[in-house]
Amino acid sequence: MASNGGLVVGIDLGGTNMQIGVVDQRNRIIGREGKKTRAEEGSKRVIERIAKGVGEACTDAGVPLQRIKAVGIAAAGAIDIAHGIVLDAPNLKWRNLPLRNRLQELLDRPVVVDNDVNGAVWGEYRLGAGQGGGDVVGVWVGTGIGGGLVLNHRLYYGEYFTAGEIGHTVLDPGGKAGRRTLEDLCSRTGMARAIKAGLRRHPRSVIRSLTDGTGQIKGSKQLAAAYHQDDPLTVKVVNEAADHLGIALANLVTTLAVDMVIVGGGVTEALGPSYVRRIRRSFERDVFPARCRQCRIVPTRLADNAGLLGAALLAREHSSAGKAAQPLAIS
Amino acid sequence: MASNGGLVVGIDLGGTNMQIGVVDQRNRIIGREGKKTRAEEGSKRVIERIAKGVGEACTDAGVPLQRIKAVGIAAAGAIDIAHGIVLDAPNLKWRNLPLRNRLQELLDRPVVVDNDVNGAVWGEYRLGAGQGGGDVVGVWVGTGIGGGLVLNHRLYYGEYFTAGEIGHTVLDPGGKAGRRTLEDLCSRTGMARAIKAGLRRHPRSVIRSLTDGTGQIKGSKQLAAAYHQDDPLTVKVVNEAADHLGIALANLVTTLAVDMVIVGGGVTEALGPSYVRRIRRSFERDVFPARCRQCRIVPTRLADNAGLLGAALLAREHSSAGKAAQPLAIS
């Protein structure tokens, strides 16, 4: 039982759902609990629900909470990781929320907070697609586009803790409709917008029936259904988005010379290998110099567990390094 | 005299000229020599001329070559820094040239080779505009556009040693004339092209007389002369280039969250503060999130000495860390 000293908890906190897991020293999820986030009930209730879920995950694993060495939480939003503060999380409706201290008070365990995409990229780097490799850029395509950087074998945060916000980089400065960011061009939101706008010229698109006549795609599964049925409008829009994303990845690899890009998120998982191949072809056309074409563009391996596992690993590493203890002292 | 043990030599090797300096422990240039590169004579002659210049710079400093602890050379081109090989240097007409080993044989001193922009960025980071600060992106605007990254207080090379090649990132994927890179849009070459193309609509531009009727701008000084005379065509082209460069810097800071961008190179020095201010305004419009607007956009401080001093510092650091000795053993 002494080896249980290595147990940690990882939490993936999204705007809609949270996933909580107890992770052992061999990085297996030995107990878990999922809950609705219910952001509309306010931060106090959400944090109480997180704490309750941690207890339930421990019960599921058959271990008391006191055995948990540290808790890692990956939250959708901009995070001040040094102080464990959620600076701005639109999906959670949180601003400047001291999540680490609040959760530490309830759980009496050291807590580490990071961004959700950083958590997922770290999970993939350590246990998934990036295992044993070199530096990595992670790009998650969903409602928006998030990114995370592993440089010199560590998550890179930058001076403002916000490194990796590639969804907000400008890719088309002079478009007819003004400058467009990567998110405008390649996120599911951007693709849904382009599909809706294209319906006039594609009156027989399956999109109409798939969306009950509204033309408004609501999730990655709807998008993927039309794509896999070879709906011409959807295929055109998805291919254009993949081409643009390939250019953005080329820019990142030209700049950072990493040898792996991990592509994840709901859109990537739903659209599958042909989407990733299309991204790769576009990437190869533009990356510089030629030797950087060796860089691999790979899908995630851990799927939904990446964020939870990454958060658990961050908790373990910070507590081993004594970093979680230090902020506790000043909190 | 024992303190002379800390003497190093720094070399800035360009396609046209080379600058060689003996640098003391307090980072003062105590002896120097400048020579034409004469790349057309072939690599053997160029390397012999470098070695001769090192001897002359030592003479100028009044110290024997044996007192030099290490030699650093910053060369215009793609470098394999681990092996000191110039992979591809179009201006020098070198490919896969083992510059480190060749120069070590001639000088019998440890040699470190790096890229010219990396050298200049490191010089500015340690001794110039970036002194005492945090992470830095350096962008050098001249005939082309080069870049260098200081992340976690070290030059960042990436897995392929080519990190920082931002001149080759795509900024406008769907332009009428095909996709355009940062270099296409913002280098002196790109600006000269745009000015030449614009002369039809600006028949009274001073460019004609400045260029002896050819319309072909040949150097940064010609460009700056027209710009400072408020030539409408030149001002328009320079402003558009500055706006595009500002977007590119916003993308870099959105991605890396550094708190300083150093802008250097012949074009920047010739065009001066109004050009840098214009870049900054564009940068502020697009950088994300808002807190990254605190990032400073600053001109270089060391001017022409940045590359030489940076190369000297790299030589000292590598030899202190025993890193120069290690490659020597396997060479």
Side-chain angles (χ1 to χ4, degrees):
Chain A
M1 291 295 280
S3 69
N4 277 352
L7 294 178
V8 287
V9 163
I11 304 167
D12 188 348
L13 178 65
T16 310
N17 296 297
M18 62 177 87
Q19 284 294 327
I20 303 170
V22 178
V23 176
D24 72 8
Q25 277 179 310
R26 294 165 71 181
N27 300 317
R28 292 173 304 199
I29 301 169
I30 60 166
R32 67 188 305 161
E33 173 66 19
K35 285 189 182 297
K36 291 280 170 202
T37 302
R38 293 191 190 137
E40 69 281 3
E41 295 181 2
S43 64
K44 188 164 179 287
R45 297 289 293 276
V46 172
I47 294 169
E48 284 168 358
R49 197 171 302 114
I50 296 169
K52 191 159 172 263
V54 171
E56 289 161 357
C58 287
T59 304
D60 187 44
V63 295
L65 179 60
Q66 290 72 23
R67 285 268 172 75
I68 303 299
K69 208 165 129 190
V71 174
I73 179 162
I79 313 289
D80 175 345
I81 60 142
H83 303 95
I85 293 168
V86 178
L87 298 167
D88 192 0
N91 294 337
L92 295 160
K93 298 178 183 66
W94 291 355
R95 285 180 78 92
N96 299 315
L97 183 87
L99 177 59
R100 186 184 67 199
N101 291 358
R102 296 272 194 91
L103 198 55
Q104 276 178 176
E105 280 164 27
L106 292 180
L107 293 173
D108 197 25
R109 318 305 311 148
V111 172
V112 170
V113 183
D114 208 321
N115 166 272
D116 61 341
V117 178
N118 279 346
V121 171
W122 190 241
E124 288 289 339
Y125 175 72
R126 290 286 311 280
L127 303 173
Q131 213 176 346
D135 288 355
V136 160
V137 171
V139 179
W140 259 239
V141 186
T143 316
I145 293 186
L149 311 173
V150 178
L151 306 180
N152 295 321
H153 310 290
R154 295 181 60 179
L155 279 172
Y156 181 80
Y157 296 99
E159 300 286 331
Y160 299 111
F161 304 115
T162 58
E165 284 286 2
I166 58 165
H168 298 274
T169 57
V170 175
L171 190 55
D172 183 6
K176 269 177 279 180
R179 60 194 56 183
R180 291 184 298 175
T181 64
L182 190 57
E183 218 164 79
D184 294 334
L185 291 162
C186 309
S187 68
R188 195 184 65 226
T189 313
M191 287 191 255
R193 196 187 302 119
I195 286 171
K196 197 170 180 182
L199 276 174
R200 278 188 208 167
R201 271 171 296 144
H202 293 79
R204 280 187 289 182
S205 166
V206 299
I207 291 291
R208 286 203 193 277
S209 59
L210 279 171
T211 60
D212 297 325
T214 65
Q216 183 59 53
I217 285 176
K218 283 219 178 98
S220 299
K221 281 180 190 163
Q222 269 186 355
L223 179 70
Y227 177 70
H228 292 307
Q229 286 174 51
D230 291 324
D231 175 60
L233 170 61
T234 305
V235 169
K236 178 172 170 284
V237 168
V238 168
N239 283 348
E240 281 174 4
D243 290 346
H244 276 118
L245 188 58
I247 294 170
L249 299 191
N251 286 349
L252 283 164
V253 176
T254 297
T255 302
L256 293 169
V258 297
D259 72 351
M260 181 179 278
V261 178
I262 302 175
V263 189
V267 165
T268 310
E269 277 165 41
L271 295 177
S274 64
Y275 168 72
V276 177
R277 277 198 301 274
R278 179 98 189 189
I279 293 169
R280 170 151 201 104
R281 275 204 298 277
S282 168
F283 162 81
E284 285 182 355
R285 209 156 39 223
D286 284 309
V287 73
F288 179 92
R291 54 164 42 195
C292 287
R293 282 189 210 130
Q294 294 169 56
C295 172
R296 288 159 292 166
I297 310 285
V298 296
T300 51
R301 278 212 208 130
L302 307 178
D304 281 351
N305 288 329
L308 186 165
L309 285 168
L313 290 168
L314 289 169
R316 178 175 296 140
E317 291 149 16
H318 283 246
S319 71
S320 300
K323 282 178 190 162
Q326 194 190 345
L328 264 174
I330 58 165
S331 67
Chain B
M1 290 298 279
S3 69
N4 277 352
L7 294 178
V8 287
V9 164
I11 304 167
D12 188 348
L13 178 66
T16 310
N17 296 296
M18 63 177 85
Q19 283 295 326
I20 303 170
V22 177
V23 176
D24 72 7
Q25 278 179 310
R26 293 166 71 182
N27 300 316
R28 293 172 304 199
I29 300 169
I30 61 166
R32 65 189 305 158
E33 174 66 18
K35 284 189 182 299
K36 292 280 171 202
T37 303
R38 293 193 188 133
E40 68 283 2
E41 295 181 3
S43 64
K44 188 164 179 287
R45 297 287 295 275
V46 172
I47 295 169
E48 284 167 0
R49 196 171 303 110
I50 296 170
K52 190 159 172 264
V54 171
E56 289 161 357
C58 286
T59 304
D60 187 45
V63 295
L65 180 58
Q66 290 73 24
R67 285 268 172 76
I68 302 299
K69 208 166 131 190
V71 174
I73 180 162
I79 313 289
D80 175 345
I81 59 140
H83 303 96
I85 293 167
V86 178
L87 298 168
D88 191 1
N91 294 336
L92 294 160
K93 300 179 181 65
W94 291 355
R95 284 181 78 93
N96 299 315
L97 184 87
L99 177 60
R100 185 184 69 199
N101 291 357
R102 297 272 193 89
L103 199 54
Q104 276 178 175
E105 280 165 25
L106 292 179
L107 293 173
D108 196 26
R109 315 309 306 149
V111 172
V112 170
V113 184
D114 209 320
N115 166 272
D116 60 341
V117 178
N118 278 346
V121 171
W122 191 241
E124 288 289 341
Y125 174 72
R126 289 286 310 281
L127 304 172
Q131 213 176 348
D135 288 355
V136 160
V137 170
V139 179
W140 259 239
V141 186
T143 315
I145 293 187
L149 312 174
V150 177
L151 306 181
N152 294 321
H153 310 289
R154 297 182 58 178
L155 278 171
Y156 181 80
Y157 296 100
E159 300 287 331
Y160 299 110
F161 303 115
T162 58
E165 284 286 3
I166 57 165
H168 298 274
T169 56
V170 175
L171 189 56
D172 183 6
K176 270 178 277 179
R179 61 194 55 185
R180 293 184 296 176
T181 64
L182 190 57
E183 218 165 76
D184 294 333
L185 290 162
C186 309
S187 69
R188 197 185 63 228
T189 312
M191 286 192 255
R193 196 187 301 120
I195 287 170
K196 197 169 180 182
L199 277 173
R200 278 188 208 167
R201 271 170 296 146
H202 293 79
R204 282 186 286 182
S205 167
V206 298
I207 291 291
R208 287 206 193 277
S209 59
L210 278 170
T211 60
D212 298 326
T214 66
Q216 182 60 54
I217 285 176
K218 284 218 176 102
S220 300
K221 282 178 190 166
Q222 269 187 354
L223 179 70
Y227 178 69
H228 293 305
Q229 285 173 51
D230 291 325
D231 175 62
L233 171 60
T234 305
V235 169
K236 179 173 170 281
V237 167
V238 167
N239 283 348
E240 282 174 3
D243 290 346
H244 276 119
L245 189 58
I247 294 170
L249 300 191
N251 286 350
L252 283 164
V253 176
T254 297
T255 302
L256 293 169
V258 297
D259 72 351
M260 181 179 280
V261 178
I262 303 175
V263 189
V267 166
T268 310
E269 277 164 41
L271 295 177
S274 64
Y275 168 72
V276 177
R277 276 197 302 274
R278 180 96 190 190
I279 293 169
R280 167 146 207 108
R281 275 203 299 276
S282 168
F283 162 82
E284 286 182 353
R285 211 157 38 222
D286 284 309
V287 74
F288 179 92
R291 53 164 43 196
C292 286
R293 281 190 210 128
Q294 295 168 56
C295 173
R296 287 159 292 167
I297 310 285
V298 295
T300 52
R301 279 212 206 129
L302 307 177
D304 282 352
N305 287 330
L308 186 165
L309 285 168
L313 289 169
L314 288 171
R316 177 176 297 141
E317 290 150 16
H318 283 247
S319 70
S320 300
K323 281 178 190 162
Q326 195 189 342
L328 266 173
I330 59 166
S331 69

